Amino acid sequence: MDTEQVLFSLCGAVGPAGAEQKAAECAAEELKRYAQVRFDALGNVIGEIIPKDYTRHVLLDAHIDEIGLIVTHLQDGFVRVDKTGGVDLRTLPDGEVTIWGEKPVDGIFCAVPPHLSKAEDRRKVPALSDAWIDTGLCQEELERWVRPGDRVTAKSVPRRLAGGRVSSKALDDRACVTVILRALSLLPQDHHTRITVLFSVQEETGQAGAQTGAFQSEATEAVALDVSFASTPDSPKHKCGELGKGPMIGYAPVLSHSIYTRLCSLAKEADIPYQTEIMGADSGTNGDCIAVSKAGRPTGLLSIPQRYMHTPVEVVDLKDLENTARLLVLYLTKEETAHA
């Protein structure tokens, strides 16, 4: 499997929360190489790998949706929007977007020139209620192609950076979708673990896909995969991991401590670099709701360090994806059932 190629293909697909179809179809095509695949009523992609004599049943989750916007109003050829997910409002002025209407319509967020704004206003984060998208179309032409409810995503081309790093929109969480696919490509043929893969929808707007997907699964343990914060010179280092230093193995009260320690032990044994991430409340990931679905199941968390989360230029290190996939394979193939 060409990890970068798969990652770029997934990130290039459109899939804001609640409208993930294109991204989900792209992921499903890749998953079909390794599993029997179906879609559920909410749009989750579900893959099943069922060995004849399996001894464990593990659910692997990564969300397929990305942050985005939704059209709420058209006026004088301009478009007003609302958030679907935690869009960083600081990135909007003069940002390029695509409106996915009857046909794709390019647009640019309006930006008041500094000459026409007060100094104190230039230091403020703009309110989304004050933001408009300029498409260049007149009102009549705009209404032919765009309607309230259409989705909007940032224009972003996946690109290579130096040192094996890449930048794109939607690395949160397509990087982890890619990790699961890479792990499946590395699995030995003779493993004895039943695996349910859940590429879940609507994580960015409340984890609906993980709630329904986990509820229908009979898996007795789970590992959720998501991104977490990677350090930059202007970020609080004690709250961040580091790019290139391996997966962040997470633990929070709702998560399984034995899976946490098991993942750490496996990484040490295999000389896989890793980092830890300890949280005093919930983890803020799908792992929280997967752990308490139905009667509950032991759930672990693996996160990819990522810079510039919820922007069109998120950054990850491909080495971290590979090491996370290697660790996941060890967890799936080394026989030891986890307990909460």
Side-chain angles (χ1 to χ4, degrees):
M1 170 180 155
D2 186 326
T3 301
E4 184 186 275
Q5 183 180 57
V6 171
L7 178 63
F8 282 11
S9 176
L10 288 168
C11 288
V14 179
E20 300 92 347
Q21 294 90 336
K22 290 183 180 178
E25 288 167 4
C26 181
E29 283 302 309
E30 294 292 337
L31 185 56
K32 285 177 183 176
R33 302 173 187 267
Y34 315 106
Q36 294 295 316
V37 177
R38 64 183 175 87
F39 293 87
D40 70 9
L42 203 62
N44 290 316
V45 181
I46 299 172
E48 296 283 1
I49 300 172
I50 310 177
K52 286 184 179 179
D53 301 311
Y54 64 87
T55 55
R56 302 164 63 198
H57 186 181
V58 180
L59 173 67
L60 303 178
D61 168 80
H63 69 87
I64 193 65
D65 61 315
E66 62 185 291
I67 59 164
L69 301 154
I70 187 169
V71 175
T72 61
H73 184 63
L74 310 178
Q75 181 178 317
D76 301 327
F78 291 83
V79 179
R80 178 161 276 175
V81 293
D82 200 355
K83 295 189 293 184
T84 53
V87 176
D88 189 339
L89 299 181
R90 297 171 300 174
T91 67
L92 295 186
D94 74 16
E96 297 180 70
V97 297
T98 301
I99 304 168
W100 301 98
E102 286 293 310
K103 70 172 185 178
V105 175
D106 290 336
I108 299 170
F109 267 100
C110 303
V112 178
H115 320 69
L116 301 179
S117 59
K118 297 177 182 178
E120 59 268 24
D121 291 336
R122 294 198 293 272
R123 291 191 292 268
K124 294 178 182 177
V125 176
L128 194 56
S129 58
D130 296 330
W132 294 90
I133 297 172
D134 185 355
T135 65
L137 298 173
C138 67
Q139 182 72 7
E140 182 181 2
E141 190 74 6
L142 181 64
E143 290 176 349
R144 286 184 58 193
W145 307 113
V146 176
R147 292 178 176 84
D150 289 341
R151 301 311 182 94
V152 182
T153 57
K155 293 195 76 171
S156 174
V157 178
R159 69 200 73 186
R160 296 188 187 96
L161 302 179
R165 294 168 181 178
V166 296
S167 175
S168 178
K169 73 171 182 66
L171 287 170
D172 174 10
D173 192 31
R174 312 274 168 82
C176 291
V177 172
T178 303
V179 164
I180 291 175
L181 293 168
R182 176 60 176 158
L184 297 182
S185 77
L186 296 173
L187 271 179
Q189 294 270 335
D190 58 350
H191 70 89
H192 299 288
T193 301
R194 177 176 175 179
I195 300 168
T196 298
V197 175
L198 174 62
F199 293 152
S200 51
V201 298
Q202 297 187 44
E203 188 272 348
E204 298 292 359
T205 52
Q207 303 175 336
Q211 292 179 49
T212 57
F215 185 86
Q216 62 188 290
S217 173
E218 298 299 325
T220 53
E221 54 188 288
V223 178
L225 291 94
D226 210 328
V227 296
S228 191
F229 308 112
S231 65
T232 55
D234 55 350
S235 62
K237 278 192 170 293
H238 67 286
K239 294 183 178 180
C240 300
E242 293 187 53
L243 289 184
K245 297 295 181 67
M248 299 167 70
I249 303 175
Y251 178 65
V254 72
L255 300 177
S256 166
H257 190 264
S258 69
I259 294 182
Y260 166 76
T261 56
R262 176 71 172 152
L263 288 168
C264 292
S265 296
L266 288 170
K268 287 178 184 175
E269 291 169 14
D271 201 25
I272 296 172
Y274 73 96
Q275 308 167 74
T276 60
E277 184 176 27
I278 310 301
M279 295 149 283
D282 57 36
S283 72
T285 71
N286 279 345
D288 301 337
C289 62
I290 291 171
V292 298
S293 178
K294 285 189 175 177
R297 58 170 63 83
T299 301
L301 175 63
L302 290 173
S303 297
I304 302 292
Q306 178 184 269
R307 290 176 179 164
Y308 321 124
M309 192 181 295
H310 288 194
T311 75
V313 290
E314 296 171 338
V315 173
V316 297
D317 191 314
L318 292 175
K319 295 191 297 294
D320 291 331
L321 274 66
E322 183 68 16
N323 283 320
T324 306
R326 289 176 57 208
L327 179 55
L328 193 56
V329 169
L330 289 177
Y331 181 78
L332 293 170
T333 56
K334 293 273 188 175
E335 293 292 333
E336 179 175 305
T337 303
H339 300 283

